Amino acid sequence: MSDITTLSLTEVRDKLARKELSAVEATSACLARIEATEPKIHALLHYDAEAALAAAKGLDAAGPNSDQRLWGVPVLIKDAICVKDAPTTCGSKILQNFTPFYDASCIEKMRAAGAVILGKANMDEFAMGSSTENSAYKVTANPWNLGKVPGGSSGGSAAAVAAGQCFAALGTDTGGSIRQPAAFCGTVGIKPTYGRVSRYGLVAYGSSLDQIGPLTRTADDAAAVLGVIAGHDPKDSTCAPRDVPDFEAALAGAADLAGLTIGLPDEYWGEGVDAEVRDACRAAVDTAKSLGANVVPVSLPHTPYAVATYYIVAMAEASSNLARFDGVRYGYRAPEAQSLEELYELSRSKGFGPEVQRRIVIGAYVLSAGYYDAYYRKAAQVRRLIRQDFLTAFEKCDVICGPTSPFAAFTIGQMSDDPLQMYLSDIFTISLNLAGLPGLSMPVGLGAASAMPIGMQLFGRAFDEATILRTAKVLGNALPLLPRPAAV
């Protein structure tokens, strides 16, 4: 039964629809894979085999339903997304015992589509990190090399998909937290356009930046999941009232890239990019050319300011969003507190980890009187320039392409004592969140030196996820398929 877990989501979905496989068999295979791999990779914070099997049995009793696009497909959810009656901790001690009484909107849609929810994936605390080392509970290992990080903050989701624990996982992307772990673990990860997917039920980090999206094995799989979770939601005022295209239909029959123009930004291909990353991505671009794509140079001139801009905006929003965790209404409460002031101080200092505390302090500083104009207002102005860079570049091309990360997955502990270096590693992903545009990371091979997966990004125009998904599918079909990670 374990060979089922090597299938893609669309392959297992087709078997389920043809009754060659039952929902219980698919779920049991994933649960067995979790039991076999979880002691090595530590990708999950919670999973409920009994509840998952009960849901699968209910689906089998009713029979396959063609209207349910994920009927019987086992999935995992990042622990920042509320799932009714399942622990939702955001990887933080301060939410250690929090259990939501409702489903996030994307979870409601996944359930309605027939997905079987297995459990919750590990993450950097409150999505603040790039390695999943900042979780209060455990450090997730990369399935390709157990001594390497899986990326972050959706590292648990990416590692679980790569290890075959599920057929898809939901993650969140505030500054690259879907795309970077997808690159490190050799999976496909898409950050939709801001407003494409409802954020209702997502524990907020940076409200103007956060987006929910899928991590999967193929572009077809990503299209299937995105088609389910996308769409307007009256419970989220930032969710765009736009029709959702049939992403799977847009990919059907895609065989070449004729007529597509790909832009290569100079700022993403120069110094600071490891040779093995540049070589793998260049080879993928050459493959795109052979498939009929036209390649042109473009410029995103404000990229050097993206890291500073992003961390000012993100930390400012985080300091505001995390003010609600005060030890009074829910979450960790310091038992030794003798006054209201001590309750706030002790609950937050003991409940939040060092990285979260660092970002709250910096965020409060840049919003404080006398500094708002110098930092936050200036960052908001530069953010507009970064978005304009993309809009100008898209006048010359249909898709923008570049490495997802300057390097492959790094060693666990390598950057733990250097937060600035960790922040700088996000240089190629954060601009897209500032601009609110869609982006996808896809595997383009293994590094010649590291033997670790290399990821390449595809950026698209607002609400044009279909074009980057189609490009990823055609290009992915032409590139060598990555094997299952040997470490698991």
Side-chain angles (χ1 to χ4, degrees):
M1 194 67 70
S2 61
D3 62 327
I4 292 172
T5 64
T6 64
L7 300 175
S8 69
L9 182 152
T10 51
E11 288 172 337
V12 80
R13 183 183 64 178
D14 291 345
K15 285 183 175 290
L16 287 161
R18 294 192 299 264
K19 294 188 177 182
E20 296 174 10
L21 185 67
S22 70
V24 167
E25 288 174 326
T27 301
S28 296
C30 288
L31 290 171
R33 185 68 181 164
I34 289 172
E35 290 292 330
T37 59
E38 189 56 17
K40 298 178 182 179
I41 63 172
H42 313 293
L44 307 184
L45 290 177
H46 166 78
Y47 71 96
D48 190 335
E50 185 177 337
L53 287 171
K57 288 176 183 177
L59 289 168
D60 282 337
N65 184 343
S66 60
D67 292 331
Q68 293 181 295
R69 289 177 283 172
L70 298 178
W71 190 92
V73 177
V75 300
L76 285 162
I77 310 298
K78 185 178 181 178
D79 202 35
I81 301 170
C82 288
V83 175
K84 184 179 180 181
D85 298 330
T88 299
T89 69
C90 278
S92 178
K93 180 181 177 181
I94 208 163
L95 284 177
Q96 189 167 12
N97 298 312
F98 178 64
T99 301
F101 58 86
Y102 71 100
D103 280 331
S105 292
C106 63
I107 301 303
E108 289 182 349
K109 292 182 176 183
M110 293 286 278
R111 290 194 198 276
V116 176
I117 295 175
L118 300 172
K120 308 297 288 293
N122 194 24
M123 58 181 286
D124 285 299
E125 185 179 7
F126 283 100
M128 298 181 189
S130 303
S131 64
T132 316
E133 295 172 287
N134 290 335
S135 170
Y137 301 102
K138 59 180 71 174
V139 174
T140 297
N142 193 309
W144 288 87
N145 182 329
L146 300 180
K148 303 285 187 179
V149 302
S153 60
S154 305
S157 296
V161 172
Q165 293 184 346
C166 60
F167 296 100
L170 293 187
T172 66
D173 195 311
T174 306
S177 289
I178 288 174
R179 290 162 288 147
Q180 185 250 30
F184 280 11
C185 292
T187 68
V188 172
I190 183 168
K191 182 205 89 71
T193 307
Y194 184 81
R196 173 66 88 185
V197 178
S198 171
R199 293 185 297 111
Y200 179 77
L202 168 64
V203 181
Y205 163 21
S207 299
S208 73
L209 303 162
D210 298 337
Q211 268 295 277
I212 297 169
L215 293 103
T216 60
R217 291 177 198 154
T218 69
D220 281 311
D221 294 353
V225 178
L226 183 59
V228 167
I229 64 175
H232 179 59
D233 179 11
K235 291 179 284 190
D236 176 8
S237 62
T238 65
C239 195
R242 298 175 66 110
D243 292 336
V244 179
D246 187 335
F247 295 117
E248 292 191 81
L251 272 60
D256 60 45
L257 300 177
L260 183 81
T261 300
I262 298 175
L264 301 186
D266 298 335
E267 295 79 7
Y268 283 58
W269 295 87
E271 294 182 6
V273 181
D274 282 1
E276 66 172 1
V277 173
R278 187 184 301 110
D279 291 347
C281 291
R282 284 285 185 191
V285 171
D286 289 341
T287 300
K289 287 181 183 178
S290 71
L291 292 166
N294 179 39
V295 176
V296 299
V298 296
S299 180
L300 302 172
H302 292 93
T303 298
Y305 308 106
V307 172
T309 301
Y310 169 80
Y311 279 102
I312 289 172
V313 172
M315 292 182 186
E317 294 184 5
S319 71
S320 176
N321 279 324
L322 271 60
R324 70 194 68 176
F325 303 108
D326 53 13
V328 175
R329 289 160 290 184
Y330 49 80
Y332 176 76
R333 177 181 294 187
E336 66 272 34
Q338 299 297 311
S339 67
L340 183 62
E341 184 176 345
E342 277 194 3
L343 178 66
Y344 291 154
E345 184 178 306
L346 294 176
S347 297
R348 288 170 66 81
S349 62
K350 293 187 175 183
F352 291 134
E355 181 59 32
V356 174
Q357 292 187 45
R358 180 185 295 116
R359 297 194 189 199
I360 290 172
V361 170
I362 295 174
Y365 176 82
V366 300
L367 290 175
S368 60
Y371 296 100
Y372 178 90
D373 287 341
Y375 293 103
Y376 188 79
R377 184 187 297 276
K378 184 63 67 176
Q381 292 169 337
V382 177
R383 180 180 189 174
R384 183 68 185 85
L385 295 175
I386 290 170
R387 176 175 170 81
Q388 187 58 51
D389 286 348
F390 281 100
L391 299 182
T392 300
F394 279 123
E395 293 175 0
K396 298 176 61 179
C397 62
D398 305 303
V399 170
I400 294 174
C401 176
T404 306
S405 170
F407 38 74
F410 50 88
T411 302
I412 292 173
Q414 181 178 331
M415 295 189 187
S416 299
D417 297 327
D418 191 351
L420 182 58
Q421 187 64 31
M422 190 80 82
Y423 298 165
L424 291 172
S425 70
D426 296 331
I427 181 65
F428 295 149
T429 56
I430 53 183
S431 294
L432 205 67
N433 298 79
L434 292 167
L437 302 176
L440 176 150
S441 179
M442 61 175 291
V444 292
L446 299 178
S450 67
M452 295 297 288
I454 304 297
M456 186 174 76
Q457 284 189 105
L458 302 172
F459 301 155
R461 297 185 178 94
F463 299 102
D464 189 17
E465 291 87 359
T467 297
I468 57 175
L469 283 164
R470 182 182 182 279
T471 304
K473 175 181 178 173
V474 174
L475 188 54
N477 287 343
L479 295 173
L481 185 67
L482 293 185
R484 168 163 278 182
V488 293

